[in-house]
Amino acid sequence: MLPDQHRIRTSAQFSATTRSGARNGRRNVVVYVRPTAEDRPARFGFVVSKAVGNAVRRNKVKRRLRELAQTTVRQVPYGYDVVVRALPPASAADWAELAADYAKAWRTASARAGAPRAATGTCPAEDHRPGREEPAS
């Protein structure tokens, strides 16, 4: 679970990030990145609509996305707001596919947004290659 300081909570924060942030989409996710002050903690928000599936599937997708976001926060804990929107195919995606899509979308969107220099490097989610086990939920 992400600590409170790393969560986007209000609709105004979600709107600001999705409207003014750089966007990159893949088959399973769309990532919006908006640079903030370098001394502000990175904040993440997740959008998983009913189109993704029933409550069980939506929660599974959210848990996986939170784990990927948590690995990103460990590498770059300051300087951006991120909204990750799951697309319907995410419910059927395995861990490796979801992690790869997130990593590619994160890397491209953060580079477009001009996020802090360290944010555009490799994404920790890339360590979740095929053959690696999914983290315990």
Side-chain angles (χ1 to χ4, degrees), residues 75-130:
Q75 183 182 13
V76 188
Y78 297 99
Y80 56 91
D81 285 346
V82 180
V83 171
V84 182
R85 183 168 47 99
L87 299 175
S91 67
D94 64 2
W95 173 252
E97 184 181 356
L98 190 62
D101 279 357
Y102 170 80
K104 289 174 187 173
W106 157 251
R107 192 171 46 245
T108 305
S110 62
R112 285 181 185 166
R117 188 111 177 116
T120 59
T122 60
C123 177
E126 291 173 340
D127 290 338
H128 298 290
R129 293 181 202 98

Side-chain angles (χ1 to χ4, degrees), residues 12-89:
Q13 293 168 341
F14 274 94
S15 293
T17 303
T18 56
R19 289 184 180 159
S20 65
R23 176 182 65 154
N24 188 268
R26 299 290 175 191
R27 181 175 192 275
N28 297 304
V29 295
V30 177
V31 176
Y32 301 86
V33 178
R34 181 174 70 113
T36 61
E38 290 192 22
D39 60 339
R40 288 186 54 198
R43 296 182 303 180
F44 281 80
F46 304 96
V47 179
V48 184
S49 75
K50 287 186 177 182
V52 173
N54 65 20
V56 173
R57 289 182 183 209
R58 290 193 312 269
N59 285 327
K60 183 177 183 179
V61 169
K62 278 190 276 191
R63 282 193 310 271
R64 288 177 169 186
L65 293 174
R66 276 196 304 263
E67 175 64 26
L68 293 169
Q70 198 166 24
T71 60
T72 304
V73 166
R74 286 185 199 122
Q75 183 182 13
V76 188
Y78 297 99
Y80 56 91
D81 285 346
V82 180
V83 171
V84 182
R85 183 168 47 99
L87 299 175

